């Protein structure tokens, strides 16, 4: 079978690498991919952008591709699954309607309230006077969220009433996030430890992946502005098997059932961003896709055939199936461009990629070839360097030892990825 992965980043490199291992898969295409996907055996890049749905559909028809997997949220929010359906092409991603769990935070919040799914209490408004009145007597800190997609930047935590009101004004006026901020969710601040729990679902049954934990703030100790994720590890010991069972029972299963009952069956990867507060799980956010960088440490451990599971999800169903993971721990450290998540330079030559070290793997995110055998930076998050080991400590040591050899001008990374797992 031939498979197409849509997306440019580290998550898509991990998906493509994982799919290429399947004995059923003869060829993986990635649109547009990066230097890492292009260098992977059995994987070929194809120069099509993620939002060019018509050309992607033409390519899939032309090559007789049997399965397409969508990496990022944008094409899902723009209805790529619905368009593939119209052409009778198999696409593992939720429909535009089901994707509202991520593309509209007010939709997700109202859905969770209707189905008694544990999440922070919230107030939704499009009106600045209402927002100000609500903020007058809300408990601090308070969380303000732009309703629509804002490239991971649409959440602001305010510790003073004045700052919260200013943020509300900036969002609702359209100044901060354009149309995405014209409606906001004002939410209670949850205290606890975050974790990522990802499942794949056929719309009726959900099958969980191994747990993981992201590191969103740019600097060590969770300081500084949020990024797309500076590193992740798997498993996340904060998600004990008892808490995982609660997450399935109180969150994942009611979500899948609720979406189906409401006429928006959710097929695809469902990412539940959790806050574990006093050993109880609460939903911080839903994403309608695999996490990035969570995909790298989670998929590295996957022993099951991902392509076969996606086919089942779109066909006979996932009932009675499960995903198997090896017992290793994995840690992926993101190497980022100087200045990221703010402005950064691209086109810088990366050295040290060719050294090999056992039990490590480099997943590329923002890289490209200069056509002369050199690898150049082309994004904010450039590489995720993964180490695997019998313990998280060993995985951390291996990842950082491998990262040490890699260099480009102004590169930076966090030095504490995985450390939260060590205390447990
Ligand atoms: P989101 O994009 O909704 O995942 O939010 C980005 C980040 O903001 C999360 O990873 C959390 O660190 C933080 N956050 C969001 N909502 C809350 C909340 N209700 N309480 C505490 N922190 C939150
Ligand atoms: N790592 C967070 C996300 O994929 O949204």
């Amino acid at each position: 079978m031939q498979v197409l992965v849509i997306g440019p980043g580290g998550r898509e490199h991990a998906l493509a690498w994982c799919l290429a291992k399947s004995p059923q898969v003869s060829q993986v295409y990635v649109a547009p991919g990066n230097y890492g996907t292009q260098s992977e055996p059995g994987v070929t890049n194809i120069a099509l952008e993620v939002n060019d749905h018509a050309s992607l559909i033409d390519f899939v028809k032309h090559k007789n591709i049997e399965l397409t997997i969508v990496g990022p949220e944008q094409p899902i929010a723009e209805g790529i699954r619905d368009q593939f359906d119209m052409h009778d092409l198999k696409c593992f991603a939720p429909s535009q309607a089901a994707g509202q769990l991520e593309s509209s935070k007010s939709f997700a919040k109202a859905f969770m309230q209707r189905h008694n799914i544990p999440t922070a209490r919230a107030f939704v408004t499009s009106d600045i006077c209402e927002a100000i009145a609500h903020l007058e007597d809300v408990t601090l800190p308070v969380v303000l969220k732009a309703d629509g997609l804002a490239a991971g930047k649409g959440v602001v935590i305010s510790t003073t009433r004045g700052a919260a009101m200013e943020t509300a004004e900036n969002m609702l006026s359209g100044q901060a996030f354009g149309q995405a901020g014209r409606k906001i969710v004002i939410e209670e601040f949850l205290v606890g430890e975050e974790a990522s729990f990802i499942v794949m679902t056929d719309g009726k049954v959900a099958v969980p992946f191994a747990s993981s934990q992201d590191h969103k703030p740019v600097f060590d100790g969770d300081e500084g502005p949020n990024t797309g994720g500076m590193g992740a590890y798997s498993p996340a010991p904060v998600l004990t098997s008892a808490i995982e069972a609660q997450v399935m029972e109180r969150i994942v299963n009611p979500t899948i059932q609720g979406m189906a009952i409401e006429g928006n069956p959710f097929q695809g990867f469902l990412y539940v961003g959790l806050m574990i507060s006093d050993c109880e799980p609460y939903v911080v956010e839903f994403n309608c896709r695999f996490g990035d960088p969570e995909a790298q440490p989670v998929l590295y451990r996957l022993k099951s055939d991902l392509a076969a599971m996606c086919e089942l999800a779109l066909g006979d169903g996932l009932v009675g199936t499960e995903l198997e993971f090896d017992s290793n721990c994995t840690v992926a450290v993101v190497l980022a461009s100087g200045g990221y998540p703010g402005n950064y330079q691209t086109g810088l030559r990366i050295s040290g990629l060719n050294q090999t070290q056992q039990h490590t793997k480099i997943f590329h995110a923002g890289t490209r070839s200069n056509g002369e055998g050199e690898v150049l930076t082309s994004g904010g998050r450039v590489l995720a360097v993964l180490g695997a080991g019998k313990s998280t400590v060993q995985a951390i040591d291996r990842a950082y030892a491998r990262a040490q050899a890699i260099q480009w001008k102004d590169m930076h990374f966090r030095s504490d990825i995985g450390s939260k797992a060590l205390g447990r």
Side-chain angles (χ1 to χ4, degrees):
M1 140 169 73
Q2 301 192 94
V3 183
L4 170 66
V5 175
I6 296 175
R11 163 184 47 215
E12 289 76 28
H13 187 181
L15 284 166
W17 171 81
C18 194
L19 291 160
K21 289 193 302 181
S22 163
Q24 299 185 23
V25 172
S26 54
Q27 178 67 44
V28 179
Y29 292 98
V30 188
N34 54 45
Y35 186 90
T37 51
Q38 176 185 317
S39 318
E40 208 59 74
V43 182
T44 304
N45 282 359
I46 170 84
L48 293 174
E49 291 306 322
V50 299
N51 55 2
D52 187 358
H53 301 184
S55 300
L56 290 165
I57 286 171
D58 283 348
F59 178 75
V60 165
K61 283 187 177 168
H62 175 69
K63 289 280 185 190
N64 287 321
I65 288 169
E66 281 149 275
L67 172 67
T68 298
I69 297 180
V70 184
E73 62 276 19
Q74 201 68 43
I76 295 171
E78 287 165 4
I80 195 165
R81 166 65 191 264
D82 311 70
Q83 289 155 23
F84 270 64
D85 280 354
M86 277 191 261
H87 291 265
D88 231 357
L89 300 171
K90 282 196 201 161
C91 178
F92 191 61
S95 66
Q96 189 174 37
Q100 289 178 97
L101 278 183
E102 175 169 6
S103 65
S104 168
K105 291 197 189 280
S106 62
F107 174 93
K109 192 56 82 171
F111 174 85
M112 286 186 272
Q113 286 165 347
R114 277 198 299 283
H115 295 276
N116 290 321
I117 292 168
T119 185
R121 275 191 292 268
F123 176 76
V124 177
T125 184
S126 303
D127 179 73
I128 185 64
C129 297
E130 260 186 27
I132 300 273
H134 182 79
L135 289 168
E136 291 286 1
D137 55 12
V138 87
T139 308
L140 296 171
V142 63
V143 185
L144 287 99
K145 299 186 174 183
D147 182 52
L149 294 180
K153 296 183 185 142
V155 176
V156 178
I157 297 171
S158 299
T159 50
T160 68
R161 245 168 260 291
M165 288 177 187
E166 199 179 320
T167 299
E169 202 153 354
N170 285 337
M171 286 186 179
L172 289 170
S173 66
Q175 217 178 309
F177 304 111
Q179 209 49 37
R182 293 227 179 242
K183 193 191 266 186
I184 60 172
V185 178
I186 302 176
E187 190 169 291
E188 165 194 30
F189 180 79
L190 297 170
V191 179
E193 185 171 342
E194 284 181 73
S196 307
F197 191 77
I198 298 161
V199 300
M200 63 187 297
T201 168
D202 57 10
K204 297 187 185 105
V205 175
V207 182
F209 284 86
S211 63
S212 54
Q213 191 178 59
D214 188 11
H215 296 64
K216 283 187 180 145
V218 66
F219 300 127
D220 283 7
D222 287 341
E223 299 289 338
N226 268 350
T227 66
M230 292 298 288
Y233 63 90
S234 174
V238 64
L239 283 181
T240 59
S241 48
I243 298 181
E244 281 195 8
Q246 285 181 26
V247 174
M248 287 301 289
E249 189 189 325
R250 295 190 204 161
I251 295 171
V252 173
N253 292 336
T255 300
I256 303 306
Q257 283 155 18
M259 291 299 282
I261 289 167
E262 293 186 3
N264 298 321
F266 188 106
Q267 266 184 352
F269 300 115
L270 176 68
Y271 169 126
V272 190
L274 294 165
M275 186 72 80
I276 311 302
S277 206
D278 290 333
C279 293
E280 301 276 334
Y282 295 84
V283 178
V284 170
E285 64 165 341
F286 282 124
N287 293 323
C288 58
R289 51 171 174 78
F290 224 102
D292 188 347
E294 288 93 331
Q296 292 86 320
V298 171
L299 294 177
Y300 189 86
R301 296 181 53 215
L302 182 65
K303 292 208 293 195
S304 310
D305 185 329
L306 184 63
M309 287 293 281
C310 292
E311 284 252 284
L312 275 178
L314 294 172
D316 293 342
L318 291 173
V319 68
T321 65
E322 59 181 6
L323 292 163
E324 243 193 290
F325 292 86
D326 78 31
S327 58
N328 275 326
C329 300
T330 45
V331 172
V333 179
V334 169
L335 309 187
S337 295
Y340 174 81
N343 294 335
Y344 52 82
Q345 217 184 325
T346 57
L348 300 171
R349 194 171 68 80
I350 307 173
S351 64
L353 285 173
N354 292 333
Q355 294 188 17
T356 51
Q357 261 173 45
Q358 270 202 316
H359 310 295
T360 69
K361 167 85 190 160
I362 297 176
F363 289 109
H364 289 231
T367 62
R368 66 181 175 85
S369 162
N370 69 350
E372 294 164 15
E374 289 182 336
V375 189
L376 306 182
T377 64
S378 66
R381 290 190 292 175
V382 176
L383 301 166
V385 181
L386 179 141
K390 297 223 171 311
S391 63
T392 306
V393 175
Q394 196 175 42
I396 290 173
D397 287 348
R398 285 175 172 161
Y400 280 105
R402 184 70 186 86
Q404 224 79 66
I406 298 170
Q407 259 307 324
W408 72 87
K409 184 173 160 277
D410 298 334
M411 157 190 130
H412 72 97
F413 56 88
R414 275 180 67 156
S415 64
D416 62 350
I417 303 301
S419 60
K420 275 188 208 157
L422 303 184
R424 290 178 180 270

